[in-house]
């Protein structure tokens, strides 16, 4: 999922690990859906400890390999600490070409109702490099060596790996987040397959037949700044990944605190008859 997601998320591999079977990605259909997740605090540490948290993620995903993939994502989080409440509001929209070669991205964030940052741009893979053209925060063109995965291709790669029994996937990823110029090294650790039908302990939204008949895998996805040697992840996302690209049991680890995302609702959207 997108760097969520989360989210978030083909052709080049970082951390010195090869990526077999990428050609199978075209055979991984991602289900158009709208999912809502309720956020709560599961861990807090550090000098400015968070005492409580609440919030919501709304995730709208549509498209296919013929038409491309569109995502609208919003995350509102209220953190309580000794310094008082902090409310963050992140809104992101992306459009990824069905062949995984280009990405259009736009995001805006607010903190306590005041604008914090805005990014608007597009990226294209060509001739072994990534070309990024920004409109906001200022007009700028950046070229990065290599060919990272965009979010939907990243999710397909993880599903392909899980199906074939791979336990780790290390790839570079570009999703247009932060300042719109960063390419991240990522390492996904994929757990043991959970067979279809085991739904008793899941949220009500995850017990519907369209998900109950699918296998899923626990995934821990770490994001790193590019570089070599031992590195500490700057962000860790854990989730259970269904075979159709839907995620549940989110854990968003920001270092000093971590949030849990429980699936509140999911609606599957109409799917086209793409034959690619």
């Amino acid at each position: 999922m997108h760097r969520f997601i989360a989210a978030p998320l083909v052709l080049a591999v970082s951390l010195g690990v090869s990526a077999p079977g990428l050609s199978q990605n075209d055979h991984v259909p991602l289900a158009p859906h709208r999912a809502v997740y309720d956020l709560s605090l599961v861990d807090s540490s550090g000098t400015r400890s968070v005492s409580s948290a609440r919030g919501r993620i709304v995730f709208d995903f549509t498209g296919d390999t013929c038409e491309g993939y569109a995502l609208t994502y919003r995350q509102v989080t209220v953190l309580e600490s000794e310094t008082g409440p902090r409310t963050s509001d992140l809104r992101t929209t992306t459009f990824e070409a069905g062949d995984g070669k280009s990405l259009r991205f736009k995001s805006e964030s607010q903190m306590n109702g005041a604008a914090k940052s805005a990014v608007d741009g597009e990226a294209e893979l060509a001739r072994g490099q990534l070309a990024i053209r920004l409109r906001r925060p200022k007009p700028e063109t950046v070229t990065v060596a290599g060919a990272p995965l965009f979010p939907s291709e990243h999710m397909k790669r993880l599903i392909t790996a899980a199906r074939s029994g791979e336990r780790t996937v290390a790839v570079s990823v570009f999703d247009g987040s932060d300042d719109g110029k960063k390419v991240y090294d990522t390492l996904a650790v994929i757990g043991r397959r959970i067979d279809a039908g085991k739904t008793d302990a899941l949220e009500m939204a995850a017990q519907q037949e369209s998900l109950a008949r699918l296998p899923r895998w626990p995934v821990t996805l770490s994001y790193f700044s590019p570089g070599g040697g031992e590195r500490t992840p700057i962000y860790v996302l854990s989730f259970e990944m269904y075979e159709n690209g839907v995620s549940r049991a989110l854990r968003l680890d920001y270092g000093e605190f971590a949030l849990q995302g429980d699936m509140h609702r999911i609606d599957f959207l109409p799917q086209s008859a793409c034959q690619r």
Side-chain angles (χ1 to χ4, degrees):
M1 110 177 269
H2 287 267
R3 204 173 121 207
F4 207 128
I5 273 162
L9 279 249
V10 80
L11 301 175
V13 179
S14 62
L15 307 179
V17 180
S18 63
L22 291 182
S23 62
Q24 300 176 35
N25 285 351
D26 287 342
H27 304 291
V28 179
L30 301 178
H33 65 282
R34 183 177 194 266
V36 179
Y37 303 86
D38 289 332
L39 298 175
S40 59
L41 183 69
V42 290
D43 189 28
S44 180
S45 61
T47 57
R48 294 186 299 173
S49 179
V50 175
S51 58
S52 68
R54 66 186 186 277
R56 176 161 284 189
I57 290 173
V58 179
F59 185 96
D60 279 280
F61 178 81
T62 59
D64 52 43
T65 55
C66 293
E67 301 298 329
Y69 299 99
L71 170 71
T72 301
Y73 174 93
R74 185 178 184 187
Q75 178 178 338
V76 177
T77 310
V78 181
L79 302 177
E80 298 279 355
S81 69
E82 61 184 18
T83 59
R86 289 176 292 159
T87 301
S88 63
D89 187 347
L90 171 65
R91 306 180 191 213
T92 297
T93 59
T94 62
F95 179 80
E96 182 176 336
D99 61 4
K101 299 295 181 62
S102 63
L103 178 72
R104 178 82 172 83
F105 54 92
K106 184 176 183 180
S107 66
E108 297 179 348
S109 65
Q110 295 182 352
M111 180 63 71
N112 292 333
K116 184 179 179 182
S117 64
V119 174
D120 185 0
E122 56 191 26
E124 184 175 5
L125 293 166
R127 298 179 294 278
Q129 63 183 17
L130 176 69
I132 305 167
R133 292 177 291 277
L134 291 175
R135 298 175 181 84
R136 299 176 70 184
K138 64 178 181 179
E140 186 177 2
T141 299
V142 178
T143 301
V144 181
L149 289 169
F150 294 139
S152 296
E153 284 296 313
H154 189 204
M155 176 59 76
K156 290 180 182 181
R157 173 70 182 100
L158 294 178
I159 295 171
T160 298
R163 283 174 169 175
S164 62
E166 294 180 54
R167 290 290 174 252
T168 60
V169 176
V171 296
S172 57
V173 171
F174 178 84
D175 58 13
S177 61
D178 297 319
D179 62 1
K181 296 184 286 186
K182 289 185 175 67
V183 175
Y184 292 94
D185 289 345
T186 71
L187 175 64
V189 178
I190 304 172
R192 189 181 300 275
R193 170 186 165 123
I194 303 171
D195 291 330
K198 298 180 179 180
T199 64
D200 292 346
L202 306 187
E203 311 97 310
M204 287 298 296
Q207 293 183 26
Q208 60 179 281
E209 176 62 24
S210 52
L211 289 178
R213 59 185 172 80
L214 297 176
R216 62 189 194 275
W217 294 263
V219 176
T220 298
L221 179 59
S222 300
Y223 287 78
F224 302 84
S225 295
E230 293 290 332
R231 288 172 288 168
T232 300
I234 58 177
Y235 178 81
V236 180
L237 172 63
S238 301
F239 54 97
E240 285 188 358
M241 175 183 70
Y242 286 90
E243 197 173 32
N244 62 354
V246 171
S247 298
R248 67 164 296 275
L250 311 181
R251 181 185 171 98
L252 297 80
D253 191 338
Y254 298 95
E256 291 193 343
F257 67 94
L259 302 177
Q260 173 179 308
D262 295 320
M263 184 184 288
H264 174 76
R265 176 172 179 170
I266 184 165
D267 298 299
F268 288 94
L269 307 175
Q271 195 159 13
S272 69
C274 175
Q275 298 298 319
R276 181 179 295 179

